[in-house]
Amino acid sequence: MYLKELKLKNFRNYSDLDLTFSPQINVLIGENAQGKTNLLEAIYVLALARSHRMNDDKALIKWGADFAKVSGVIERKLGSLPLEIILSHQGKKARINHLDQDRLSQYVGQFNVILFAPEDLELVKGSPAKRRRFIDMEFGQINHQYLYNITQYRNILKQRNLYLRQLKFHEAKDLVYLDILSDQLAGFGAEIVWARHQFLQQMAVFAKEQHQQITQQREQLQFVYQTVLPDEELTDSDQIYHFLQDQYQKNRKRELQQGTTVLGPHRDDVAFIVNDRNVQDFGSQGQQRTVALSLKLAEIQMVKQQTGEAPVLLLDDVLSELDDLRQTHLLHTIKNQVQTFLTTTSLDGVAEEIIGKPTIFQVAAGQVTSATTESE
Ligand SMILES: Nc1ncnc2c1ncn2[C@@H]1O[C@H](COP(=O)(O)OP(=O)(O)OP(=O)(O)O)[C@@H](O)[C@H]1O
């Protein structure tokens, strides 16, 4: 799939923008703070109905404006698809083919994007929350049910934690209500753990292959999913459900003392093992970066496998962070296969023989001009 057209109205520093893109490589070139990342963010918002850099949608609305609109046309095997996201101070609206969508979990997944930014290079050594978010955003794009379960889990977890606090401070005492919440949480939690287990197993195969190629067979990458039960003991969602229920009973005293839910998929993590050692603790910065790159490339393959189409790749100033070997591997893998948007302040140092003849856009102070493509 690829993004053919993008229109922005009052999005960040863009008042009005209307662009048509190449299905291959699009380079957004400009000085710092001109709006290159804002443009990638708009594409991300069109795909996932939320920003990759913040939770507050209001920050996306141009200062002083009442609303922001991002619309685009996606070309897929089945034809063109218009998508639209409208953000206002009252909330957000999503439209597929000009029709309002009631549920954002239904909207997400029409347009698949993979974003790779310098902060992703921190994925391996960053906090577990970053890795959970990575799994949720990537898996959520290709599985509506997963996204729905995550939303439900978060809502119930919030209610349950609130209720545990009330019990802790003796503002409530009905333990039957706690049982009801525990049962609901165990239900959604079990589905999430089982889905993550399966997703990570599939993704590990692709990531291992990518990692081997980048390191010229020197390194073996493995994933270890760290959840409520050891990875190898997970058999199905029913088993996890009963296990969680049992654990909530066993930990009741502790939860009442702490006033919070002490276990469940909201505490999950994943460890990346290279040649039998955890890269988070023992890997060099270079090895950690290779893992991050292998993960991103594995995601592209996952989306392709699940949807039958390649996603769109957004590279936010990341090429300059990769050495020649990794840069070459990345560009070779995407060449002629994946529509790519790449932001940079300069193309100097980017392997020209691989990047080929991209379509270039100049970005300056919220204005984008199409520079002559080198192929013309
Ligand atoms: N809601 C908003 N309304 C108007 N302008 C905004 C808004 N949010 C951010 N900006 C402006 O957008 C600009 C930043 O753009 P962006 O983050 O896309 O930079 P960039 O071109 O990617 O630069 P860099 O290379 O430094 O990452 C800043 O000038 C900032 O003031």
Side-chain angles (χ1 to χ4, degrees):
M1 68 174 64
Y2 73 94
L3 175 65
K4 191 167 139 192
E5 286 168 40
L6 181 74
K7 282 188 190 166
L8 303 183
K9 177 99 190 142
N10 297 334
F11 185 91
R12 294 268 195 199
N13 64 337
Y14 293 101
S15 303
D16 261 302
L17 190 70
D18 189 346
L19 294 172
T20 304
F21 298 117
S22 150
Q24 312 274 327
I25 298 184
N26 297 274
V27 175
L28 310 170
I29 197 161
E31 301 288 314
N32 293 126
Q34 300 304 306
K36 302 183 299 294
T37 301
N38 293 347
L39 200 53
L40 290 194
E41 188 179 35
I43 299 173
Y44 191 93
V45 169
L46 188 68
L48 285 132
R50 55 166 299 165
S51 164
H52 63 285
R53 19 183 200 182
M54 56 186 56
N55 290 325
D56 182 13
D57 292 331
K58 290 182 207 79
L60 306 174
I61 303 172
K62 188 174 164 65
W63 298 324
D66 297 331
F67 72 95
K69 188 155 98 176
V70 183
S71 27
V73 178
I74 315 304
E75 287 297 327
R76 303 191 302 185
K77 279 184 189 154
L78 291 171
S80 306
L81 185 72
L83 296 177
E84 190 164 85
I85 294 285
I86 300 166
L87 308 161
S88 71
H89 295 278
Q90 284 75 48
K92 75 184 137 193
K93 255 192 205 162
R95 291 190 182 130
I96 303 175
N97 224 341
H98 311 291
L99 294 173
D100 283 350
Q101 301 296 305
D102 296 334
R103 273 205 208 159
L104 285 177
S105 58
Q106 281 305 118
Y107 175 88
V108 176
Q110 306 295 323
F111 173 34
N112 299 113
V113 301
I114 307 283
L115 173 90
F116 194 12
E119 53 270 26
D120 289 314
L121 296 166
E122 308 284 308
L123 196 71
V124 176
K125 64 171 196 275
S127 67
K130 287 210 169 78
R131 288 183 286 279
R132 282 195 297 273
R133 191 185 140 89
F134 161 79
I135 298 173
D136 292 347
M137 296 309 280
E138 304 318 333
F139 194 29
Q141 293 199 47
I142 48 180
N143 190 320
H144 289 300
Q145 191 59 42
Y146 180 76
L147 207 57
Y148 175 77
N149 290 341
I150 286 281
T151 316
Q152 296 300 313
Y153 183 86
R154 281 197 195 122
N155 289 339
I156 298 163
L157 181 66
K158 222 186 202 166
Q159 282 180 48
R160 190 173 187 273
N161 285 343
L162 193 75
Y163 195 64
L164 280 168
R165 261 195 304 280
Q166 288 176 349
L167 289 167
K168 178 182 171 179
F169 294 113
H170 310 292
E171 291 159 11
K173 48 181 185 227
D174 181 6
L175 291 177
V176 176
Y177 183 54
L178 182 63
D179 284 338
I180 295 171
L181 291 173
S182 305
D183 182 54
Q184 290 177 345
L185 198 67
F188 287 110
E191 294 299 332
I192 292 168
V193 170
W194 183 240
R196 283 181 180 168
H197 166 73
Q198 289 177 303
F199 171 69
L200 286 169
Q201 276 200 332
Q202 287 170 19
M203 193 163 157
V205 177
F206 291 127
K208 183 180 172 185
E209 194 184 300
Q210 291 294 338
H211 199 90
Q212 270 179 338
Q213 283 176 20
I214 304 171
T215 61
Q216 285 144 0
Q217 318 297 325
R218 280 193 301 270
E219 293 182 4
Q220 296 288 329
L221 171 65
Q222 284 169 282
F223 292 3
V224 177
Y225 177 31
Q226 298 172 327
T227 185
V228 289
L229 271 166
D231 208 0
E232 61 282 0
E233 283 179 26
L234 300 172
T235 53
D236 57 39
S237 62
D238 230 30
Q239 169 224 16
I240 305 163
Y241 166 73
H242 291 299
F243 179 80
L244 282 173
Q245 265 203 333
D246 189 45
Q247 287 298 312
Y248 292 139
Q249 288 297 334
K250 285 192 177 136
N251 284 283
R252 176 149 291 180
K253 207 167 145 203
R254 205 171 131 216
E255 291 200 323
L256 289 173
Q257 272 166 1
Q258 297 187 10
T260 193
T261 304
V262 296
L263 84 158
H266 59 288
R267 301 244 165 128
D268 279 358
D269 199 357
V270 53
F272 303 109
I273 313 292
V274 167
N275 293 350
D276 299 324
R277 282 184 194 279
N278 190 334
V279 212
Q280 190 173 19
D281 305 324
F282 297 103
S284 68
Q285 203 199 31
Q287 279 176 316
Q288 295 182 352
R289 288 181 165 213
T290 306
V291 173
L293 178 60
S294 305
L295 287 174
K296 289 289 155 179
L297 295 172
E299 275 179 70
I300 297 178
Q301 289 175 296
M302 279 290 284
V303 173
K304 254 196 210 164
Q305 187 200 47
Q306 302 277 328
T307 69
E309 298 202 52
V312 169
L313 183 64
L314 310 175
L315 298 177
D316 193 10
D317 215 3
V318 85
L319 285 188
S320 55
E321 301 280 336
L322 298 173
D323 64 13
D324 280 354
L325 182 77
R326 297 187 186 96
Q327 208 182 82
T328 308
H329 183 81
L330 169 65
L331 293 171
H332 256 308
T333 314
I334 60 174
K335 201 174 178 186
N336 303 329
Q337 292 197 49
V338 181
Q339 185 192 31
T340 302
F341 292 85
L342 186 159
T343 71
T344 184
T345 46
S346 152
L347 273 176
D348 293 348
V350 176
E352 203 186 315
E353 69 280 9
I354 305 168
I355 196 163
K357 302 189 186 316
T359 303
I360 297 175
F361 297 90
Q362 287 283 348
V363 182
Q367 303 284 336
V368 181
T369 43
S370 169
T372 322
T373 61
E374 288 170 29
S375 56
E376 282 170 3

